[in-house]
Amino acid sequence: MSLSSSLLFSAISVTIFLVLFSYRVDSQPVLDSDEQESAYRVLESVNSEVPWRALFPGDLCSSAPHGVVCEFFEEQNDAVEVHITELSFGFVSDYSPNPPCTADSTINPLLYAFKHLRKIFFYKCFTGAQVSVPDFSVYGSSLEEISFVENPSLTGVLGGKLGNSTSLRRLVLTGTNVSGEIPVGLGDLVNLEQITLSRNKFSGEVALNFSKLKQLKLLDLSENGFEGEVPESIGGLTELLKVDLSENQFSGKIPESLKNLKNLEFLDLGYNHFANFGIPLFLAEMPRLREVHLSGNFLGGQIPEIWKSLRGIQGIGLSGTGLVGNIPASMGFFLRNLSFIGLDNNLLEGTVPEEFGSLESVNEMNLENNKLRGKLPFSPKFAAKMGEKLKLQGNPELCVDEGLRSAKIRGSLGNLKLCRHPYGPSQSLFVGGISVQKASHLLMFLGFLFLLP
Ligand SMILES: *[C@@H]1O[C@H](CO)[C@@H](O)[C@H](O)[C@H]1NC(C)=O
Ligand SMILES: *[C@@H]1O[C@H](CO)[C@@H](O)[C@H](O)[C@H]1NC(C)=O
Ligand SMILES: *[C@@H]1O[C@H](CO)[C@@H](O)[C@H](O)[C@H]1NC(C)=O
Ligand SMILES: *[C@@H]1O[C@H](CO)[C@@H](O)[C@H](O)[C@H]1NC(C)=O
């Protein structure tokens, strides 16, 4: 759909909406002329190439470009007024054909003229000259949604700019040049459901008290310069579904209070400076977890036996976390829905558990740069399905059997040596007809049966 046809399409849909609505109101209110003029000016400052006034000469609320949304307000004296409540700029897709921003897009101060604004959205608008973060406090408590996505020239600090936006439900600033600390006052905006502040230039400690943000479902502070400890108050946000604090400089222990997040499905604390004593055991108390990423922090210790409680897990990232000891067979046994596992760049030793060879849903397995040894448990079919996503380099004592070798599968298997007899299973001692290795598997299997509810 071309821009003009999408604009026309949205104009038609606005008209239909108004025709339906006009059965309810006696005389149809029109947009106040000052508000209309402000809308033209703001449109012109994000896109100076479209002749907005000529394309939309009439009442903007009867026929508006996509991205400009009006609503009716019943006033005390029963009069009905119409105001602009949403302004969205930046072409997203044919389904969301907002006015595209030109390279010289700026924020016109007349943006502050819309006192009833609920939603403000800019996508890929500020990419050239620096544009300052607007002062959202002028909207009082009308704003419900602030989204600035991929605006690398949006610059300044957020402190003091959110004011009393007590109705705010979504705060999305991602891919901008916004810096400074997160305002402590954010903790008072009790209706927040989403805080996404990824890929900006924020820094400093996260000093806010999360306790009051009971509606928060999504917290993403990834790829900034945050430091210090994560406030324990994060554990009070029982509605949280997703927490992403990755790629910052958070330090200290991983807060124990996270275990109270019983609905949490996604936890990414990767690539920070957390120094824990091992992988937190409380993960076992978070039954809904689908993904947990702790890579690039110093955890140390052995991989704990917590996987029976985490059977639904689909992604595990424990790369470069200083892990020692063996890979527990229970991971392969219980994690039947596992799609990604990264255990690379640790000090893991022993063999790759037999159970890893039957992980059917796995798409990517990275075991590179450990001290693993012995025969790989993968069938040629499994290895062929995984291809390059089966990563095993940097474990000089790993080997493949004849079957895997002759299958000539591309990827890292090709560089592994052929198992010589001393490492193969045929080397196992026989005890009363079954090998020690088989016996230990049998014991382990019985152990799991015993553990099952
Ligand atoms: C980002 O902000 C800094 C000041 O905080 C400024 O020096 C720099 O030019 C800005 N970058 C862009 C791309 O606007
Ligand atoms: C903030 O907004 C609320 C709700 O509209 C209002 O009750 C309160 O007085 C406002 N506070 C300030 C400091 O403006
Ligand atoms: C956070 O706020 C709650 C109440 O809203 C309070 O009980 C708690 O002590 C505060 N925590 C901190 C660390 O200030
Ligand atoms: C594994 O995935 C299947 C299919 O998506 C799902 O039905 C099942 O509940 C999942 N298992 C667990 C333990 O979450």
Side-chain angles (χ1 to χ4, degrees), residues 126-131 151-156 176-179 201:
F126 313 121
T127 55
Q130 274 181 35
V131 169
N151 294 289
S153 314
L154 187 75
T155 297
T176 76
N177 191 31
V178 177
S179 55
K201 304 285 166 59

Side-chain angles (χ1 to χ4, degrees), residues 258-271:
L258 285 172
K259 72 176 174 201
N260 300 322
L261 307 181
K262 299 296 184 207
N263 292 311
L264 200 71
E265 295 177 1
F266 181 99
L267 178 64
D268 192 344
L269 304 177
Y271 304 100

Side-chain angles (χ1 to χ4, degrees), residues 8-25:
L8 190 63
F9 176 77
S10 66
I12 292 168
S13 54
V14 168
T15 313
I16 292 171
F17 171 68
L18 284 177
V19 168
L20 293 174
F21 195 87
S22 60
Y23 287 108
R24 273 195 51 207
V25 290

Side-chain angles (χ1 to χ4, degrees), residues 192-204:
L192 277 169
E193 293 169 18
Q194 175 178 4
I195 299 177
T196 297
L197 300 176
S198 56
R199 292 186 294 111
N200 301 298
K201 304 285 166 59
F202 288 108
S203 59

Side-chain angles (χ1 to χ4, degrees), residues 163-166 168-169 183-195 207-217 219 231-240 261:
N164 195 17
S165 307
T166 46
L168 201 62
R169 287 188 290 111
V184 173
L186 204 59
D188 293 321
L189 307 183
V190 296
N191 290 305
L192 277 169
E193 293 169 18
Q194 175 178 4
I195 299 177
L208 62 104
N209 185 342
F210 285 106
S211 306
K212 291 190 213 154
L213 304 182
K214 297 291 183 204
Q215 311 291 324
L216 201 66
K217 293 186 173 61
L219 176 65
E232 285 281 338
S233 58
I234 195 173
L237 307 184
T238 50
E239 294 299 311
L240 273 177
L261 307 181

Side-chain angles (χ1 to χ4, degrees), residues 391-422:
K391 297 177 180 162
L392 303 161
Q393 294 297 302
N395 291 286
E397 297 301 313
L398 277 182
C399 62
V400 291
D401 62 18
E402 290 285 0
L404 262 185
R405 166 57 62 93
S406 54
K408 292 206 181 349
I409 292 147
R410 70 195 164 82
S412 58
L413 282 178
N415 302 322
L416 294 177
K417 63 186 177 188
L418 193 62
C419 299
R420 284 183 300 122
H421 276 291

